[in-house]
Amino acid sequence: MSLVSYLSQLKAIHRWGLARPQDLSVIQQPVLVANGDDDRMVPTQNSVDMARRLPNAELVIYPDAGHGGIFQFHEQFVPTALEFLDRP
């Protein structure tokens, strides 16, 4: 990623972070939220907050994992995701 792209993305993230939170309670679709407990790109607390605000969310936090938690813990994530997707 170029420096210009990085700075543009950082600016967009900052602007988004200052915006009023969206009303996620209107989303009725089940959602699987997965994150590592030490994610620097998407802070873990953001995933916790999103799962709390989604009425049908399931939250999975992988220990000692960063942004690639689902890859670091693929042996646990794949069965979890398949089971989640298999629900009626």
Side-chain angles (χ1 to χ4, degrees):
M1 175 182 273
S2 72
L3 181 58
V4 171
S5 295
Y6 173 76
L7 293 174
S8 295
Q9 184 177 9
L10 192 59
K11 182 179 176 182
I13 290 170
H14 180 73
R15 186 174 43 236
W16 173 80
L18 296 175
R20 197 171 125 242
Q22 298 291 312
D23 179 12
L24 301 182
S25 69
V26 299
I27 299 172
Q28 297 301 310
Q29 180 73 24
V31 177
L32 177 61
V33 179
N35 202 346
D37 70 348
D38 189 29
D39 189 336
R40 294 179 184 179
M41 291 181 70
V42 178
T44 307
Q45 185 55 42
N46 290 7
S47 295
V48 172
D49 179 58
M50 181 169 61
R52 180 184 54 77
R53 295 189 301 124
L54 287 162
N56 294 307
E58 179 179 330
L59 177 64
V60 180
I61 302 291
Y62 294 103
D64 300 319
H67 193 64
I70 63 172
F71 301 107
Q72 291 170 266
F73 286 86
H74 64 275
E75 290 181 359
Q76 292 91 343
F77 175 73
V78 171
T80 299
L82 290 174
E83 187 272 327
F84 178 83
L85 292 170
D86 216 20
R87 293 180 192 161

